[in-house]
Amino acid sequence: SHPLLCPPGIKCGGVLSAPSGNFSSPNFPGLYPYETECTWLIVVAEGSSVLLSFSHFELEYHDTCAYDYLQVYNGAARDRGNLLGTFCGHSPPPPFSSAWHVMAVVFRSDRHVAKHGFAAAYRKDACGGQLTGLSGEITSPRYPESYPNDAECRWSIGGASGGGPLTLVFADFQMEGGQGCGFDYVALFDGPTVTAPGLGRYCGSARPPRTISSTPHLLIVFKSDFNIGGRGFKAHFYSAGECQEVFTTIKGNFSSPQYPNFYPNNLKCQWSIQLPPGFRVKVFFLDMELEGRSSLTGGCDYDHLSAFDGGTENGSLLGRWCGRESLAPVTSRSNRLLLVLHTDRNTARRGFSVSYVGVVPMNVSCTRTDFHIQIPVQSLAQLERNRIYLGTPSCAAQVVGRNFKIHTRFDTCGTESQRRNNTSVIISTLYIDFSVGDQEDIHQYEVQCEPKKKEASVTLIAGPDPSRLSQAENLVDAQQWEGEAIDAREIKSQDTSDIVFISICILAGLLMVIAVVGLVLL
C-alpha cells in the first residue's frame, strides 16, 4: 500500500510532560505519510534533564538530510542555537541528554519516498547524563534548594561533531566543606571516565576556578554523604576553542562561535586583547547580527556583546550591543580590552566578526618648521630603528635614551603642504614595519601639523588587513598623548625655530645699541 497524507485523526507531535514515555512517527511501524511535519516538546521537572534514545530509525536518505529528516533540539524547537543534530537514513541518532528540562524533536517528510520512520523513548534524569551539545547548563539535584544526601551524579560532556576542548565555569557553588573534600564534593576529569586525569576536586563555598579540558570530553562527578548538605552548584559548559581566547599580537581578528552559522545558545564567551604597555586597542566591527532588543525595555536584555576597558568586566563599559547594527570602531583607554558575548536559551543569530589593531603610543609635536615624533622603545622593543620611518626609509628613527625619535624639517621626508578646512597644514606618513619573513605588515599613521598654531595630531590610516578595513582618515581618533611614558617637557622645549628667531632679534638689537653708542662717543 502507498503511504497517504497524514489524516486529521492521526496523532502527530504534542507536549510530553510525564516523567517518561514513548513516541514514534505517524503509522509506525508502517510507512510514514508524505508531507508531514510533527513537533514533540518534552518538558520534565525543572532541575532535571531529558534522556532521549531511539530503538528504531529508518528515514529516506540524503547526504545533507534535505528531504525527510528528524531534528533534536536542546530546548525549544526551530531555534538553530539549540539544534543538537539533524538525522536521516538508517543510522539512528545517538542517545541525547538535554542541558536543561526541555527538549524538542521535529520530524518532517516530503512528497516523495516514505520509510518506516522511528520509535523513541525518553525519561527524566534528575542527576547526571550524557551531554552532547556545544553548550549547556548543569545543576546539582534540586538546585537551588539543598541537594539530597547519599547522591552520586555523573555528567559526561562531549562527543559533539567537530567539538574541541571544553570550558566549565561555575556560576554558584555551596557544599559541605572538609579537609581533602572527603564528604561532599565535585570532581572533574579530563576525559569521558574517572580513569582520565583529574582536573580538580572541590567542596565548601569557594567557587572552583574556570576549567578547560585538553580533550573534547569532560566528566563531572557530584557526590554527597549521609548528612549536612548545601545549596549545591550551577555551572555552564561550552566548546572552549572559539569561546575563550587571549590575544597578545599587535593585530588580529576573531568571530563568535560557528560564525557565520548561528551561534549556540546559553553561552558566555570572552575574548581578551592584551598589548604591551602604552598601546591602546582599536576594535573594528566587520559584521554583527545578534538577537534584537527587548520590546519591553528597549535594551539589549537577551543576547548581547559588551566591550570593557581593561582585562575584566569590572572595567569601564565601552559599549553594549545587540540586534543588527553597523558599529563605529571602539578604542580602549588602556592596553587591554575585553569583549564578552552573552547568549540566552533561545533565538540565535549569525553572530559577529571583528578585527583589532594596537594603536602605537607616540607623541607628535611640531614647530613652524619641524616635526618631532617620539615612541617609547619598550612599546616596539622587537623592532630595529630602521623599521620606523617618516615618509621614506632614509628618514628612519634614531634611538635617544628610551625613545625612538624622528626630528625632521618640513622640506624633507615626504612632507607636503595641503589646505584642510581653509587651513594650511603640513602632512606626512609615519611607517611602522611589523613584517615578519614574507608576511608584509606595515602600519601607517598620518602625522599633521598646523604651523601657525604649532598643533600636531596623528591618525591611523592603514592598520591590519587594509582590504577589509577602509583606509578612512577617522579609523583612529587623533591622539594627544600628553607625554604618557614620555617626557613631554623635553619636546615642548624643542621649539628651536622660535628660539633661533628670538636670538637673532636680540643679537641685532645689541649690535644696533653698540653702533649708536659708538657714534655718540665719536
Side-chain angles (χ1 to χ4, degrees), residues 180-246:
C181 294
F183 305 127
D184 300 353
Y185 62 84
V186 169
L188 309 178
F189 298 89
D190 195 5
T193 66
V194 292
T195 59
L199 292 172
R201 182 166 169 146
Y202 305 100
C203 60
S205 56
R207 271 193 303 167
R210 179 188 304 272
T211 299
I212 303 178
S213 69
S214 66
T215 73
H217 294 275
L218 182 67
L219 177 67
I220 301 163
V221 176
F222 163 77
K223 196 170 188 314
S224 64
D225 66 2
F226 62 92
N227 67 356
I228 307 177
R231 190 170 62 245
F233 70 87
K234 177 180 181 180
H236 300 276
F237 70 87
Y238 34 77
S239 182
E242 310 174 84
C243 196
Q244 298 287 318
E245 294 185 275
V246 177

Side-chain angles (χ1 to χ4, degrees), residues 31 100 173 215 240 254 317-318 330 365 437 443 450 472-473 496 504:
L31 301 178
W100 44 82
F173 194 88
T215 73
F254 53 89
L317 182 67
L318 298 174
V330 170
S365 62
H443 296 201
E450 191 177 333
E473 290 174 15
T496 52
I504 291 170

Side-chain angles (χ1 to χ4, degrees), residues 80 256 259-263 285-292 303-305 321-327 341 343 347-353:
R80 281 195 258 177
S256 50
Y259 177 88
N261 297 317
F262 281 33
Y263 49 75
F285 298 90
L286 307 177
D287 183 29
M288 193 182 85
E289 184 187 345
L290 305 180
E291 183 179 3
D303 300 350
H304 56 268
L305 180 67
W321 309 280
C322 58
R324 189 170 187 170
E325 298 181 33
S326 180
L327 302 177
L341 173 68
T343 69
T347 316
R349 291 287 184 265
R350 188 172 67 241
F352 70 85
S353 174

Side-chain angles (χ1 to χ4, degrees), residues 103-173:
M103 180 178 270
V105 178
V106 176
F107 166 72
R108 184 183 178 280
S109 64
D110 65 4
R111 63 178 62 191
H112 306 287
V113 186
K115 300 289 185 181
H116 292 280
F118 70 90
Y122 77 91
R123 65 179 173 86
K124 180 183 82 167
D125 183 26
C127 179
Q130 178 73 36
L131 306 178
T132 53
L134 281 172
S135 66
E137 181 181 286
I138 300 169
T139 59
S140 51
R142 301 180 188 169
Y143 176 88
E145 304 299 325
S146 186
Y147 53 79
N149 294 325
D150 295 314
E152 182 169 343
C153 314
R154 296 186 179 200
W155 292 269
S156 180
I157 308 172
S161 58
L166 294 156
T167 295
L168 181 71
V169 179
F170 285 88
D172 190 18
F173 194 88

Side-chain angles (χ1 to χ4, degrees), residues 11-51:
K11 186 179 179 184
C12 175
V15 177
L16 307 175
S17 55
S20 63
N22 300 280
F23 59 100
S24 58
S25 51
N27 294 341
F28 182 84
L31 301 178
Y32 51 74
Y34 296 136
E35 294 191 295
T36 301
E37 185 165 316
C38 314
T39 300
W40 292 268
L41 187 66
I42 307 168
V43 183
V44 297
E46 193 152 1
S48 306
S49 59
V50 180
L51 288 178

Side-chain angles (χ1 to χ4, degrees), residues 284-301:
F284 305 92
F285 298 90
L286 307 177
D287 183 29
M288 193 182 85
E289 184 187 345
L290 305 180
E291 183 179 3
R293 294 178 178 272
S294 163
S295 57
L296 294 175
T297 67
C300 294
D301 300 340

